[in-house]
Amino acid sequence: MLNRVAASCALVLISSPALAFEFSFKGMIKPEVVASDQGIASYGSAYSQVAPTHALRTDIFGGAPATEQQTTFLSSDATSFQASQSRFSLNMSHEKVRTVLEFDFIDGEDGFTNQTAIQAQEPRLRLATLYYDMDENWTFFGGQKWSTASGIKSSGSYNWVGNAYRAGNSGFLAVEVGATYKNDGLMVTGALTGKGRNATAGGINANELGSMPGFAVDVNYSFSGHKIGAAGHFAELNYEDEAGFASGENQDANLLKMYTTLNFGAVSINAEYYTGEALNNQNALGVAPSSGLNAAGEVRESFSESGFFTYVTWKINADSTIKVGYASASVDSGDRARLSLTDLNENTTAYINYGHKITDSFTAFVQLTNFNTEYGSDFKDFSANVGRAGVVFKF
């Protein structure tokens, strides 16, 4: 009886124009092998090939001078098999409303330290956004999405989660509510967003103190297959309200960028430049460390930085594509004296990849990446080469 009622309700939802919901399930399965010739890290300081962003120091381990054995470990090459950058999305639309839910498999607890993880990876929420398309010009949105200040969202790398972050690519996800206006080639987006995290002595996931949220904006114009744009994020971090606060002042957390996409038939060029401060406090994934409280409860002044990335895509034919990318970011010269031995001062990423479409849904790829990372205090640099090869199945 209950089954018949449920079936009848589903039939009504599908067949009634007023109640019809359109659902789709999409995704990309990405098994790959990753190899490096020395220690690399995925955002943090652990030797990790999950989503590499920079080369590790081989002379420092756990914040202290490395022993001979620890240096050998950090200098050793490694190979792992990865599938955690696979992702899927659930999509729904009904009249003027549409939504998207997207997940990948890098869990927040230890996802960036696992290697060949087998069953250890868990789903991680990437996108959870609701859109209301009021008319052909106006769209309102709310939820977790690519930040309005992201600019160009892909660096052209097959390292989808590493994506040249901490080396010139400063865009990332944010929870926002806002609106987009479109008219011919002009697109203007404004949003209220989280101001950024108050980094305390005990960690960086503290409350976003204060009643005033952050504000993000993007303005871009498309013409003849090209696009130019500018974006930014503006906020103030309220440190004086921290429980362990001793002295200091509020900190600005700002980001400004300019970007462009140029298309010339089989060849396209993407480029972006940014400058900002306290970017890692607002999840913009800059090269500089977060600002926060030191052990004495004093606010450490935020770090300013700048960077850029560019990549060129050459579509050789209908099935084969080559991409070459270069990205670099560094802490501003006036702030470098305050960096520690384990803080990044400058980070550069260069890569080339080749993708070949075997079928419409199945692509094989290979990529070679070089990370050159300079650290603070003694300003030593370390270089690592990373190779990856695998397939992407889209459904």
Side-chain angles (χ1 to χ4, degrees):
M1 178 63 181
L2 291 175
N3 288 338
R4 289 196 297 270
V5 171
S8 300
C9 291
L11 183 61
V12 169
L13 287 173
I14 295 172
S15 61
S16 174
L19 298 174
F21 288 80
E22 296 183 9
F23 293 91
S24 64
F25 179 66
K26 301 177 181 180
M28 294 179 285
I29 298 175
K30 182 175 175 258
E32 58 185 331
V33 58
V34 181
S36 62
D37 62 359
Q38 75 132 66
I40 53 176
S42 300
Y43 299 96
S45 59
Y47 195 153
S48 168
Q49 297 181 336
V50 173
T53 53
H54 58 281
L56 283 173
R57 293 193 71 128
T58 58
D59 59 348
I60 299 292
F61 187 88
T67 65
E68 182 178 354
Q69 189 278 331
Q70 290 167 341
T71 298
T72 299
F73 163 71
L74 292 170
S75 302
S76 298
D77 53 8
T79 301
S80 66
F81 294 88
Q82 304 285 339
S84 57
Q85 291 195 22
S86 301
R87 60 187 59 168
F88 66 91
S89 66
L90 305 172
N91 307 271
M92 184 276 289
S93 63
H94 175 63
E95 297 181 346
K96 295 183 177 183
V97 177
R98 53 192 171 90
T99 66
V100 59
L101 277 172
E102 183 178 283
F103 301 84
D104 64 13
F105 296 91
I106 301 178
D107 63 279
E109 183 175 350
D110 59 2
F112 289 104
T113 58
N114 282 324
Q115 298 298 320
T116 304
I118 315 298
Q119 80 281 5
Q121 305 292 52
E122 300 172 358
R124 177 183 68 154
L125 179 66
R126 289 175 50 82
L127 305 177
T129 320
L130 175 68
Y131 297 92
Y132 175 70
D133 299 315
M134 187 175 72
D135 54 36
E136 63 180 11
N137 299 115
W138 285 96
T139 295
F140 297 87
F141 58 83
Q144 181 165 299
K145 56 184 284 294
W146 280 101
S147 166
T148 295
S150 285
I152 298 173
K153 299 175 180 61
S154 171
S155 67
S157 171
Y158 275 102
N159 179 16
W160 293 343
V161 179
N163 201 28
Y165 292 129
R166 307 208 72 189
N169 184 3
S170 60
F172 197 55
L173 306 178
V175 179
E176 299 181 339
V177 57
T180 297
Y181 173 76
K182 293 176 287 186
N183 192 342
D184 294 329
L186 177 67
M187 180 181 294
V188 180
T189 300
L192 296 177
T193 182
K195 66 171 65 179
R197 301 169 296 179
N198 287 49
T200 69
I204 59 173
N205 292 307
N207 295 329
E208 298 183 24
L209 298 174
S211 59
M212 181 63 70
F215 179 71
V217 63
D218 177 274
V219 180
N220 62 73
Y221 183 71
S222 299
F223 60 98
S224 304
H226 311 305
K227 178 185 287 188
I228 56 173
H233 175 122
F234 312 94
E236 185 180 46
L237 305 176
N238 293 45
Y239 279 109
E240 76 276 10
D241 296 324
E242 288 290 354
F245 178 82
S247 65
E249 58 186 10
N250 290 356
Q251 299 290 318
D252 293 326
N254 298 324
L255 169 67
L256 289 169
K257 65 176 58 178
M258 299 183 66
Y259 61 92
T260 186
T261 299
L262 305 173
N263 288 293
F264 305 99
V267 176
S268 65
I269 302 170
N270 288 269
E272 179 175 294
Y273 170 83
Y274 81 87
T275 182
E277 53 192 325
L279 296 191
N280 273 302
N281 288 85
Q282 56 171 299
N283 275 345
L285 302 179
V287 65
S290 300
S291 58
L293 303 183
N294 61 23
E298 301 165 331
V299 176
R300 179 173 66 171
E301 185 181 351
S302 62
F303 293 85
S304 297
E305 62 178 87
S306 59
F308 72 94
F309 78 87
T310 183
Y311 72 94
V312 177
T313 302
W314 175 29
K315 195 170 182 58
I316 303 172
N317 52 49
D319 298 323
S320 300
T321 302
I322 291 176
K323 295 182 181 180
V324 180
Y326 183 87
S328 184
S330 61
V331 177
D332 287 1
S333 59
D335 293 330
R336 292 174 183 173
R338 297 187 287 116
L339 294 170
S340 73
L341 280 168
T342 55
D343 289 333
L344 275 59
N345 175 53
E346 184 174 4
N347 190 33
T348 299
T349 301
Y351 53 89
I352 183 171
N353 62 53
Y354 172 76
H356 180 75
K357 187 184 293 185
I358 300 172
T359 69
D360 287 342
S361 301
F362 195 63
T363 299
F365 68 87
V366 61
Q367 175 169 306
L368 178 63
T369 302
N370 173 263
F371 294 108
N372 189 270
T373 306
E374 182 181 271
Y375 286 81
S377 188
D378 60 2
F379 302 101
K380 287 185 178 180
D381 66 283
F382 298 82
S383 182
N385 296 302
V386 182
R388 64 194 319 122
V391 295
V392 177
F393 175 70
K394 297 182 178 181
F395 58 89

